Amino acid sequence: KQWYQRRVRGVPKPAVTDFTGTVGCVECNDAVTCTDGTCTDGECVCGDGYEKSQANPRLCEVIQCDELTLSNQEADSEGPYATTTMVTVTCTTGFHVEGDESQTVQTLTCNDQGNFDVVLKPCVVCASDTDCTAGTCNANKECECDASDGYKLKDDDLTVCEKVTCPADYCANNGACEVKGIDLECTCQTGTEGSKCETFSTDPCAGDPCNTANGGVCERVSGSDVTDFNQHTCTCDNANFDGDSCQYATMFHAGVERKGVALNSVEFDVILAVGNTPMYIALLKVSDNDGNSYKVLLLQSAAGKLTLHVIEED
């Protein structure tokens, strides 16, 4: 007698050790059992819902359908799929089932053999160039546009190629829009930056240019004609101050009893000036809204400090 053993798909079958009858090789015996199956007459038999593994004949595996290969579509659940499982596959927006422009959904059921009952079709946009407006149908059955000529697919219709143009107000803060191929680029005004000029690069109100202590309110310039956003404007909310930077007082103090007298008219005479230095002495002839007149001496020091001195009241 001579013993043999053979390989089945890479796994050896054991030789029978105790037998009567014809010499042969088997998949299993008392010493070598089946996984998730029954050894019958030297062969592994799988139960309902199981099948022999392709890699190991002594292993029984659950029958199931493999993960689906999707093309521009989405399944309502992930595989692998148990038998009797129903899977719904929907095309990506703008795509349809190949061969039927009206169909976007396919339903498949995993049978007891571990196969789907129907073949899943891919989802496509076109079948030929005639299905594409101003474009061509490529090998993937999708419409393709000539980007070098400034065309791209329309967002809400993947069968239409449209010429790229700058939308109104695409660039913020008076930025200028320009088409580069199929991309949009913005040239920003002074003081702005970012892909759409949406960010200000400086703060023109830094440093208190409007003298907030005097009630000044600073704001960045605005408007469709602005070319330099580093500029600012001042609003003087306090009626006691005026000027481009709310730096000039519109009230003066003529003694304790007339504190805060509103000015009606001012006559200004410089009586001493020293070169171009900030120091000067001036005599003001002032009348208020009540008809009272004053002579006021205005002094400014080299440090810029102003002082008023009432020298005569008419």
mmCIF file of all heavy atoms in Angstrom, residues 158-201:
data_model
loop_
_atom_site.group_PDB
_atom_site.id
_atom_site.type_symbol
_atom_site.label_atom_id
_atom_site.label_comp_id
_atom_site.label_asym_id
_atom_site.label_seq_id
_atom_site.Cartn_x
_atom_site.Cartn_y
_atom_site.Cartn_z
ATOM 1 N N LEU A 158 -24.730 69.167 -15.359
ATOM 2 C CA LEU A 158 -23.428 68.627 -15.744
ATOM 3 C C LEU A 158 -23.337 68.273 -17.223
ATOM 4 O O LEU A 158 -22.330 67.723 -17.661
ATOM 5 C CB LEU A 158 -23.121 67.387 -14.899
ATOM 6 C CG LEU A 158 -23.056 67.628 -13.387
ATOM 7 C CD1 LEU A 158 -22.699 66.341 -12.656
ATOM 8 C CD2 LEU A 158 -22.062 68.728 -13.052
ATOM 9 N N THR A 159 -24.376 68.597 -17.993
ATOM 10 C CA THR A 159 -24.321 68.375 -19.443
ATOM 11 C C THR A 159 -24.011 69.670 -20.195
ATOM 12 O O THR A 159 -23.885 69.655 -21.409
ATOM 13 C CB THR A 159 -25.656 67.809 -19.969
ATOM 14 O OG1 THR A 159 -26.693 68.794 -19.816
ATOM 15 C CG2 THR A 159 -26.043 66.543 -19.229
ATOM 16 N N VAL A 160 -23.890 70.770 -19.467
ATOM 17 C CA VAL A 160 -23.715 72.086 -20.105
ATOM 18 C C VAL A 160 -22.377 72.706 -19.691
ATOM 19 O O VAL A 160 -22.068 72.816 -18.495
ATOM 20 C CB VAL A 160 -24.862 73.047 -19.726
ATOM 21 C CG1 VAL A 160 -24.624 74.427 -20.323
ATOM 22 C CG2 VAL A 160 -26.195 72.480 -20.209
ATOM 23 N N CYS A 161 -21.588 73.112 -20.686
ATOM 24 C CA CYS A 161 -20.371 73.884 -20.445
ATOM 25 C C CYS A 161 -20.701 75.360 -20.644
ATOM 26 O O CYS A 161 -21.317 75.732 -21.647
ATOM 27 C CB CYS A 161 -19.256 73.463 -21.397
ATOM 28 S SG CYS A 161 -18.658 71.770 -21.165
ATOM 29 N N GLU A 162 -20.310 76.187 -19.708
ATOM 30 C CA GLU A 162 -20.612 77.609 -19.810
ATOM 31 C C GLU A 162 -19.338 78.444 -19.696
ATOM 32 O O GLU A 162 -18.374 78.047 -19.051
ATOM 33 C CB GLU A 162 -21.607 78.030 -18.736
ATOM 34 C CG GLU A 162 -21.115 77.835 -17.316
ATOM 35 C CD GLU A 162 -22.132 78.267 -16.267
ATOM 36 O OE1 GLU A 162 -23.192 78.770 -16.666
ATOM 37 O OE2 GLU A 162 -21.855 78.100 -15.073
ATOM 38 N N LYS A 163 -19.365 79.605 -20.321
ATOM 39 C CA LYS A 163 -18.230 80.522 -20.291
ATOM 40 C C LYS A 163 -18.126 81.148 -18.908
ATOM 41 O O LYS A 163 -19.121 81.609 -18.339
ATOM 42 C CB LYS A 163 -18.425 81.623 -21.336
ATOM 43 C CG LYS A 163 -17.206 82.504 -21.563
ATOM 44 C CD LYS A 163 -16.153 81.809 -22.401
ATOM 45 C CE LYS A 163 -15.042 82.772 -22.816
ATOM 46 N NZ LYS A 163 -13.979 82.098 -23.613
ATOM 47 N N VAL A 164 -16.937 81.149 -18.360
ATOM 48 C CA VAL A 164 -16.726 81.708 -17.034
ATOM 49 C C VAL A 164 -16.702 83.229 -17.109
ATOM 50 O O VAL A 164 -15.991 83.812 -17.926
ATOM 51 C CB VAL A 164 -15.407 81.192 -16.424
ATOM 52 C CG1 VAL A 164 -15.151 81.841 -15.062
ATOM 53 C CG2 VAL A 164 -15.438 79.682 -16.286
ATOM 54 N N THR A 165 -17.489 83.886 -16.269
ATOM 55 C CA THR A 165 -17.519 85.341 -16.182
ATOM 56 C C THR A 165 -17.451 85.754 -14.716
ATOM 57 O O THR A 165 -17.708 84.957 -13.820
ATOM 58 C CB THR A 165 -18.802 85.915 -16.806
ATOM 59 O OG1 THR A 165 -19.940 85.355 -16.137
ATOM 60 C CG2 THR A 165 -18.878 85.585 -18.298
ATOM 61 N N CYS A 166 -17.117 87.004 -14.490
ATOM 62 C CA CYS A 166 -17.044 87.530 -13.123
ATOM 63 C C CYS A 166 -18.440 87.930 -12.654
ATOM 64 O O CYS A 166 -19.078 88.792 -13.268
ATOM 65 C CB CYS A 166 -16.127 88.746 -13.067
ATOM 66 S SG CYS A 166 -14.357 88.360 -13.095
ATOM 67 N N PRO A 167 -18.926 87.340 -11.580
ATOM 68 C CA PRO A 167 -20.214 87.763 -11.027
ATOM 69 C C PRO A 167 -20.110 89.176 -10.456
ATOM 70 O O PRO A 167 -19.025 89.638 -10.100
ATOM 71 C CB PRO A 167 -20.491 86.752 -9.910
ATOM 72 C CG PRO A 167 -19.522 85.633 -10.129
ATOM 73 C CD PRO A 167 -18.344 86.234 -10.816
ATOM 74 N N ALA A 168 -21.247 89.842 -10.384
ATOM 75 C CA ALA A 168 -21.249 91.182 -9.794
ATOM 76 C C ALA A 168 -20.817 91.098 -8.338
ATOM 77 O O ALA A 168 -21.230 90.205 -7.600
ATOM 78 C CB ALA A 168 -22.648 91.794 -9.906
ATOM 79 N N ASP A 169 -19.971 92.037 -7.931
ATOM 80 C CA ASP A 169 -19.502 92.122 -6.548
ATOM 81 C C ASP A 169 -18.780 90.857 -6.092
ATOM 82 O O ASP A 169 -18.813 90.515 -4.907
ATOM 83 C CB ASP A 169 -20.675 92.418 -5.607
ATOM 84 C CG ASP A 169 -21.361 93.740 -5.926
ATOM 85 O OD1 ASP A 169 -20.664 94.664 -6.346
ATOM 86 O OD2 ASP A 169 -22.591 93.821 -5.759
ATOM 87 N N TYR A 170 -18.129 90.134 -7.019
ATOM 88 C CA TYR A 170 -17.365 88.950 -6.619
ATOM 89 C C TYR A 170 -16.224 89.350 -5.699
ATOM 90 O O TYR A 170 -15.938 88.664 -4.715
ATOM 91 C CB TYR A 170 -16.812 88.248 -7.860
ATOM 92 C CG TYR A 170 -15.926 87.062 -7.542
ATOM 93 C CD1 TYR A 170 -16.480 85.834 -7.201
ATOM 94 C CD2 TYR A 170 -14.533 87.181 -7.580
ATOM 95 C CE1 TYR A 170 -15.672 84.745 -6.893
ATOM 96 C CE2 TYR A 170 -13.723 86.090 -7.281
ATOM 97 C CZ TYR A 170 -14.304 84.888 -6.941
ATOM 98 O OH TYR A 170 -13.490 83.817 -6.637
ATOM 99 N N CYS A 171 -15.571 90.466 -6.012
ATOM 100 C CA CYS A 171 -14.485 90.970 -5.172
ATOM 101 C C CYS A 171 -15.041 92.027 -4.219
ATOM 102 O O CYS A 171 -15.765 92.931 -4.638
ATOM 103 C CB CYS A 171 -13.367 91.579 -6.018
ATOM 104 S SG CYS A 171 -12.683 90.453 -7.269
ATOM 105 N N ALA A 172 -14.713 91.917 -2.961
ATOM 106 C CA ALA A 172 -15.201 92.865 -1.958
ATOM 107 C C ALA A 172 -14.389 94.156 -1.998
ATOM 108 O O ALA A 172 -13.300 94.219 -2.578
ATOM 109 C CB ALA A 172 -15.129 92.231 -0.573
ATOM 110 N N ASN A 173 -14.961 95.185 -1.370
ATOM 111 C CA ASN A 173 -14.250 96.448 -1.162
ATOM 112 C C ASN A 173 -13.666 97.035 -2.447
ATOM 113 O O ASN A 173 -12.492 97.430 -2.505
ATOM 114 C CB ASN A 173 -13.149 96.255 -0.111
ATOM 115 C CG ASN A 173 -13.698 95.814 1.220
ATOM 116 O OD1 ASN A 173 -14.657 96.374 1.724
ATOM 117 N ND2 ASN A 173 -13.103 94.780 1.802
ATOM 118 N N ASN A 174 -14.492 97.048 -3.485
ATOM 119 C CA ASN A 174 -14.146 97.680 -4.772
ATOM 120 C C ASN A 174 -12.988 96.996 -5.499
ATOM 121 O O ASN A 174 -12.343 97.593 -6.365
ATOM 122 C CB ASN A 174 -13.814 99.162 -4.584
ATOM 123 C CG ASN A 174 -14.935 99.928 -3.922
ATOM 124 O OD1 ASN A 174 -16.095 99.538 -3.998
ATOM 125 N ND2 ASN A 174 -14.608 101.028 -3.252
ATOM 126 N N GLY A 175 -12.727 95.722 -5.149
ATOM 127 C CA GLY A 175 -11.688 94.978 -5.860
ATOM 128 C C GLY A 175 -12.105 94.709 -7.298
ATOM 129 O O GLY A 175 -13.296 94.593 -7.616
ATOM 130 N N ALA A 176 -11.121 94.585 -8.192
ATOM 131 C CA ALA A 176 -11.389 94.349 -9.618
ATOM 132 C C ALA A 176 -11.250 92.861 -9.931
ATOM 133 O O ALA A 176 -10.237 92.242 -9.628
ATOM 134 C CB ALA A 176 -10.416 95.159 -10.467
ATOM 135 N N CYS A 177 -12.290 92.271 -10.543
ATOM 136 C CA CYS A 177 -12.307 90.840 -10.864
ATOM 137 C C CYS A 177 -11.810 90.600 -12.284
ATOM 138 O O CYS A 177 -12.121 91.365 -13.202
ATOM 139 C CB CYS A 177 -13.727 90.296 -10.705
ATOM 140 S SG CYS A 177 -13.890 88.546 -11.111
ATOM 141 N N GLU A 178 -11.047 89.509 -12.455
ATOM 142 C CA GLU A 178 -10.525 89.137 -13.774
ATOM 143 C C GLU A 178 -10.561 87.621 -13.927
ATOM 144 O O GLU A 178 -10.282 86.885 -12.978
ATOM 145 C CB GLU A 178 -9.085 89.647 -13.913
ATOM 146 C CG GLU A 178 -8.479 89.390 -15.282
ATOM 147 C CD GLU A 178 -7.052 89.919 -15.388
ATOM 148 O OE1 GLU A 178 -6.553 90.494 -14.395
ATOM 149 O OE2 GLU A 178 -6.437 89.746 -16.459
ATOM 150 N N VAL A 179 -10.949 87.150 -15.130
ATOM 151 C CA VAL A 179 -11.001 85.722 -15.408
ATOM 152 C C VAL A 179 -9.631 85.253 -15.880
ATOM 153 O O VAL A 179 -9.068 85.795 -16.828
ATOM 154 C CB VAL A 179 -12.067 85.399 -16.479
ATOM 155 C CG1 VAL A 179 -12.075 83.905 -16.780
ATOM 156 C CG2 VAL A 179 -13.440 85.847 -16.008
ATOM 157 N N LYS A 180 -9.085 84.207 -15.220
ATOM 158 C CA LYS A 180 -7.825 83.597 -15.616
ATOM 159 C C LYS A 180 -8.089 82.116 -15.891
ATOM 160 O O LYS A 180 -8.174 81.320 -14.964
ATOM 161 C CB LYS A 180 -6.778 83.741 -14.508
ATOM 162 C CG LYS A 180 -6.381 85.185 -14.186
ATOM 163 C CD LYS A 180 -5.542 85.788 -15.301
ATOM 164 C CE LYS A 180 -5.034 87.181 -14.921
ATOM 165 N NZ LYS A 180 -4.059 87.156 -13.827
ATOM 166 N N GLY A 181 -8.267 81.751 -17.168
ATOM 167 C CA GLY A 181 -8.648 80.382 -17.517
ATOM 168 C C GLY A 181 -10.085 80.155 -17.097
ATOM 169 O O GLY A 181 -11.006 80.745 -17.648
ATOM 170 N N ILE A 182 -10.284 79.314 -16.056
ATOM 171 C CA ILE A 182 -11.622 79.149 -15.495
ATOM 172 C C ILE A 182 -11.650 79.635 -14.046
ATOM 173 O O ILE A 182 -12.630 79.421 -13.331
ATOM 174 C CB ILE A 182 -12.092 77.677 -15.566
ATOM 175 C CG1 ILE A 182 -11.132 76.756 -14.804
ATOM 176 C CG2 ILE A 182 -12.262 77.227 -16.986
ATOM 177 C CD1 ILE A 182 -11.636 75.328 -14.677
ATOM 178 N N ASP A 183 -10.582 80.300 -13.619
ATOM 179 C CA ASP A 183 -10.496 80.820 -12.260
ATOM 180 C C ASP A 183 -10.745 82.321 -12.246
ATOM 181 O O ASP A 183 -10.507 83.020 -13.243
ATOM 182 C CB ASP A 183 -9.126 80.518 -11.659
ATOM 183 C CG ASP A 183 -8.857 79.024 -11.544
ATOM 184 O OD1 ASP A 183 -9.794 78.293 -11.191
ATOM 185 O OD2 ASP A 183 -7.718 78.602 -11.826
ATOM 186 N N LEU A 184 -11.212 82.803 -11.107
ATOM 187 C CA LEU A 184 -11.446 84.227 -10.927
ATOM 188 C C LEU A 184 -10.403 84.788 -9.966
ATOM 189 O O LEU A 184 -10.130 84.187 -8.935
ATOM 190 C CB LEU A 184 -12.852 84.472 -10.367
ATOM 191 C CG LEU A 184 -14.018 83.934 -11.202
ATOM 192 C CD1 LEU A 184 -15.340 84.236 -10.517
ATOM 193 C CD2 LEU A 184 -14.007 84.508 -12.609
ATOM 194 N N GLU A 185 -9.826 85.927 -10.334
ATOM 195 C CA GLU A 185 -8.821 86.555 -9.486
ATOM 196 C C GLU A 185 -9.218 87.998 -9.210
ATOM 197 O O GLU A 185 -9.791 88.668 -10.063
ATOM 198 C CB GLU A 185 -7.439 86.509 -10.152
ATOM 199 C CG GLU A 185 -6.869 85.114 -10.283
ATOM 200 C CD GLU A 185 -5.442 85.108 -10.821
ATOM 201 O OE1 GLU A 185 -4.875 86.231 -10.983
ATOM 202 O OE2 GLU A 185 -4.898 84.034 -11.083
ATOM 203 N N CYS A 186 -8.884 88.463 -8.016
ATOM 204 C CA CYS A 186 -9.217 89.827 -7.609
ATOM 205 C C CYS A 186 -7.950 90.662 -7.448
ATOM 206 O O CYS A 186 -6.962 90.200 -6.878
ATOM 207 C CB CYS A 186 -9.985 89.819 -6.290
ATOM 208 S SG CYS A 186 -11.640 89.090 -6.392
ATOM 209 N N THR A 187 -8.002 91.884 -7.962
ATOM 210 C CA THR A 187 -6.959 92.873 -7.698
ATOM 211 C C THR A 187 -7.520 93.842 -6.668
ATOM 212 O O THR A 187 -8.550 94.486 -6.903
ATOM 213 C CB THR A 187 -6.578 93.628 -8.977
ATOM 214 O OG1 THR A 187 -6.100 92.692 -9.958
ATOM 215 C CG2 THR A 187 -5.504 94.654 -8.696
ATOM 216 N N CYS A 188 -6.868 93.918 -5.524
ATOM 217 C CA CYS A 188 -7.437 94.642 -4.384
ATOM 218 C C CYS A 188 -7.018 96.110 -4.352
ATOM 219 O O CYS A 188 -5.940 96.492 -4.831
ATOM 220 C CB CYS A 188 -7.010 93.967 -3.082
ATOM 221 S SG CYS A 188 -7.529 92.236 -2.953
ATOM 222 N N GLN A 189 -7.879 96.933 -3.753
ATOM 223 C CA GLN A 189 -7.573 98.338 -3.529
ATOM 224 C C GLN A 189 -6.625 98.453 -2.339
ATOM 225 O O GLN A 189 -6.483 97.523 -1.529
ATOM 226 C CB GLN A 189 -8.857 99.132 -3.253
ATOM 227 C CG GLN A 189 -9.878 99.104 -4.382
ATOM 228 C CD GLN A 189 -9.426 99.888 -5.607
ATOM 229 O OE1 GLN A 189 -8.336 100.462 -5.643
ATOM 230 N NE2 GLN A 189 -10.251 99.890 -6.641
ATOM 231 N N THR A 190 -5.985 99.607 -2.210
ATOM 232 C CA THR A 190 -5.048 99.845 -1.117
ATOM 233 C C THR A 190 -5.746 99.646 0.235
ATOM 234 O O THR A 190 -6.865 100.121 0.444
ATOM 235 C CB THR A 190 -4.497 101.276 -1.190
ATOM 236 O OG1 THR A 190 -3.842 101.452 -2.455
ATOM 237 C CG2 THR A 190 -3.511 101.548 -0.066
ATOM 238 N N GLY A 191 -5.083 98.906 1.096
ATOM 239 C CA GLY A 191 -5.623 98.680 2.435
ATOM 240 C C GLY A 191 -6.468 97.425 2.562
ATOM 241 O O GLY A 191 -7.015 97.167 3.634
ATOM 242 N N THR A 192 -6.597 96.640 1.473
ATOM 243 C CA THR A 192 -7.373 95.393 1.549
ATOM 244 C C THR A 192 -6.526 94.245 1.014
ATOM 245 O O THR A 192 -5.595 94.445 0.239
ATOM 246 C CB THR A 192 -8.672 95.488 0.731
ATOM 247 O OG1 THR A 192 -8.355 95.692 -0.661
ATOM 248 C CG2 THR A 192 -9.532 96.638 1.216
ATOM 249 N N GLU A 193 -6.875 93.024 1.428
ATOM 250 C CA GLU A 193 -6.156 91.838 0.997
ATOM 251 C C GLU A 193 -7.065 90.629 1.115
ATOM 252 O O GLU A 193 -8.210 90.734 1.559
ATOM 253 C CB GLU A 193 -4.887 91.645 1.832
ATOM 254 C CG GLU A 193 -5.165 91.492 3.321
ATOM 255 C CD GLU A 193 -3.896 91.500 4.156
ATOM 256 O OE1 GLU A 193 -2.831 91.814 3.616
ATOM 257 O OE2 GLU A 193 -3.989 91.185 5.370
ATOM 258 N N GLY A 194 -6.553 89.444 0.703
ATOM 259 C CA GLY A 194 -7.360 88.229 0.704
ATOM 260 C C GLY A 194 -7.737 87.848 -0.718
ATOM 261 O O GLY A 194 -7.646 88.660 -1.642
ATOM 262 N N SER A 195 -8.163 86.581 -0.901
ATOM 263 C CA SER A 195 -8.492 86.092 -2.238
ATOM 264 C C SER A 195 -9.612 86.890 -2.883
ATOM 265 O O SER A 195 -9.694 86.995 -4.106
ATOM 266 C CB SER A 195 -8.871 84.607 -2.190
ATOM 267 O OG SER A 195 -10.021 84.415 -1.373
ATOM 268 N N LYS A 196 -10.482 87.473 -2.050
ATOM 269 C CA LYS A 196 -11.577 88.297 -2.569
ATOM 270 C C LYS A 196 -11.538 89.706 -1.983
ATOM 271 O O LYS A 196 -12.549 90.406 -1.967
ATOM 272 C CB LYS A 196 -12.926 87.638 -2.260
ATOM 273 C CG LYS A 196 -13.157 86.334 -2.994
ATOM 274 C CD LYS A 196 -14.556 85.797 -2.737
ATOM 275 C CE LYS A 196 -14.799 84.506 -3.507
ATOM 276 N NZ LYS A 196 -16.173 83.979 -3.268
ATOM 277 N N CYS A 197 -10.362 90.128 -1.518
ATOM 278 C CA CYS A 197 -10.174 91.474 -0.948
ATOM 279 C C CYS A 197 -11.100 91.707 0.246
ATOM 280 O O CYS A 197 -11.531 92.835 0.514
ATOM 281 C CB CYS A 197 -10.418 92.558 -2.008
ATOM 282 S SG CYS A 197 -9.536 92.304 -3.561
ATOM 283 N N GLU A 198 -11.386 90.636 0.961
ATOM 284 C CA GLU A 198 -12.375 90.709 2.032
ATOM 285 C C GLU A 198 -11.794 91.174 3.366
ATOM 286 O O GLU A 198 -12.548 91.457 4.310
ATOM 287 C CB GLU A 198 -13.045 89.346 2.229
ATOM 288 C CG GLU A 198 -12.171 88.263 2.826
ATOM 289 C CD GLU A 198 -11.260 87.571 1.825
ATOM 290 O OE1 GLU A 198 -11.153 88.042 0.679
ATOM 291 O OE2 GLU A 198 -10.644 86.548 2.198
ATOM 292 N N THR A 199 -10.464 91.291 3.439
ATOM 293 C CA THR A 199 -9.810 91.617 4.706
ATOM 294 C C THR A 199 -9.112 92.966 4.617
ATOM 295 O O THR A 199 -8.449 93.270 3.621
ATOM 296 C CB THR A 199 -8.785 90.534 5.075
ATOM 297 O OG1 THR A 199 -9.436 89.262 5.113
ATOM 298 C CG2 THR A 199 -8.153 90.822 6.428
ATOM 299 N N PHE A 200 -9.255 93.771 5.668
ATOM 300 C CA PHE A 200 -8.532 95.044 5.735
ATOM 301 C C PHE A 200 -7.161 94.805 6.342
ATOM 302 O O PHE A 200 -7.026 94.098 7.345
ATOM 303 C CB PHE A 200 -9.311 96.057 6.573
ATOM 304 C CG PHE A 200 -10.617 96.474 5.966
ATOM 305 C CD1 PHE A 200 -11.811 96.120 6.561
ATOM 306 C CD2 PHE A 200 -10.652 97.197 4.786
ATOM 307 C CE1 PHE A 200 -13.027 96.494 6.007
ATOM 308 C CE2 PHE A 200 -11.855 97.573 4.209
ATOM 309 C CZ PHE A 200 -13.051 97.218 4.819
ATOM 310 N N SER A 201 -6.153 95.390 5.732
ATOM 311 C CA SER A 201 -4.776 95.132 6.165
ATOM 312 C C SER A 201 -4.314 96.071 7.275
ATOM 313 O O SER A 201 -3.332 95.787 7.958
ATOM 314 C CB SER A 201 -3.828 95.235 4.969
ATOM 315 O OG SER A 201 -3.961 96.495 4.322
#
